[in-house]
Amino acid sequence: EADIYQTPRYLVIGTGKKITLECSQTMGHDKMYWYQQDPGMELHLIHYSYGVNSTEKGDLSSESTVSRIRTEHFPLTLESARPSHTSQYLCASGQGWTEAFFGQGTRLTVV
Amino acid sequence: KQEVTQIPAALSVPEGENLVLNCSFTDSAIYNLQWFRQDPGKGLTSLLLIQSSQREQTSGRLNASLDKSSGRSTLYIAASQPGDSATYLCAVKQGGSEKLVFGKGTKLTVNP
């Protein structure tokens, strides 16, 4: 069973609010990822991290930011939410030849 | 740039049928290939992982193969059941960056 957790599972928030989506894993993986998925569409990598103090932008441009202060924690922040940020956000971790594990996702709705 | 393609985009079959889902990728410099299942509105559940040096992996009614040189993988589902209805995603983990690159998925419907 995957030991990777995302909170909250669902979030409805007003335009202009600052939000942080949490992601934690207990597997000691160095590599962590954030994907964005619009309904019925494919996953797009928006951020990834090689380890503590390492963050990289993914293939899809995103107004969100991430941080990696601890190995197990990889939060994603939106400074000012907009309706265009409405989507599902999926966090994952994995390392080298190991499986990648995904959290259950956070479904964000900005009204 | 790695590109992953899954065919078909959607598939509808009667219960009990055996079926094959296809995945192809353009860059053979991969660590591994992983098949996932995604139910509507949910996260991804890992089904099978094939290392770049392996040819196939099996789990229950599922069998995944990998032909790295031709950039292809198949997921074989035996004796399909309505509970298998979901979207199946193929992802390759890139060598070096270790980024996961996904296909768009195959939406499978198994009719009772």
Side-chain angles (χ1 to χ4, degrees):
Chain A
E1 188 171 325
D3 294 321
I4 180 165
Y5 308 99
Q6 289 186 244
T7 57
R9 289 289 313 278
Y10 304 93
L11 179 62
V12 180
I13 199 162
T15 298
K17 299 291 187 183
K18 178 180 178 179
I19 59 171
T20 297
L21 308 184
E22 302 288 349
C23 177
S24 295
Q25 52 98 1
T26 59
M27 296 171 282
H29 289 160
D30 285 333
K31 310 294 191 301
M32 294 189 74
Y33 314 87
W34 276 103
Y35 287 84
Q36 183 174 346
Q37 185 182 35
D38 292 329
M41 303 296 287
E42 66 263 44
L43 282 79
H44 292 288
L45 180 67
I46 52 175
H47 297 285
Y48 61 103
S49 169
Y50 290 123
V52 171
N53 294 325
S54 154
T55 61
E56 303 283 344
K57 289 193 177 296
D59 301 322
L60 181 69
S61 175
S62 173
E63 294 170 346
S64 59
T65 60
V66 292
S67 62
R68 191 85 183 279
I69 299 172
R70 303 196 316 264
T71 297
E72 63 270 21
H73 196 212
F74 191 40
L76 181 146
T77 298
L78 279 164
E79 289 293 333
S80 180
R82 295 207 300 268
S84 62
H85 297 140
T86 294
S87 190
Q88 176 161 245
Y89 294 84
L90 293 161
C91 179
S93 74
Q95 192 154 309
W97 57 89
T98 66
E99 275 182 281
F101 293 98
F102 277 77
Q104 285 300 300
T106 294
R107 185 168 295 279
L108 173 66
T109 302
V110 184
V111 298
Chain B
K1 178 184 174 184
Q2 178 74 269
E3 292 183 2
V4 179
T5 303
Q6 290 189 247
I7 295 173
L11 181 64
S12 182
V13 301
E15 182 176 2
E17 192 162 298
N18 302 326
L19 58 100
V20 174
L21 308 181
N22 296 291
C23 171
S24 62
F25 49 95
T26 55
D27 184 351
S28 62
I30 63 171
Y31 263 126
N32 55 44
L33 183 145
Q34 198 166 351
W35 283 92
F36 294 89
R37 168 186 173 137
Q38 186 175 31
D39 293 289
K42 301 290 180 65
L44 276 64
T45 300
S46 178
L47 297 174
L48 287 166
L49 172 73
I50 311 178
Q51 302 298 346
S52 61
S53 59
Q54 295 177 323
R55 297 286 292 184
E56 66 177 314
Q57 283 289 329
T58 298
S59 175
R61 294 183 294 110
L62 305 179
N63 175 277
S65 69
L66 174 65
D67 184 341
K68 188 179 157 185
S69 60
S70 67
R72 295 184 184 192
S73 176
T74 62
L75 178 67
Y76 174 83
I77 302 177
S80 59
Q81 303 170 358
D84 294 331
S85 298
T87 296
Y88 290 81
L89 296 162
C90 162
V92 297
K93 183 177 281 189
Q94 285 298 101
S97 71
E98 295 189 39
K99 290 195 299 185
L100 280 171
V101 181
F102 281 84
K104 293 183 178 182
T106 294
K107 184 175 181 179
L108 173 66
T109 302
V110 181
N111 301 300

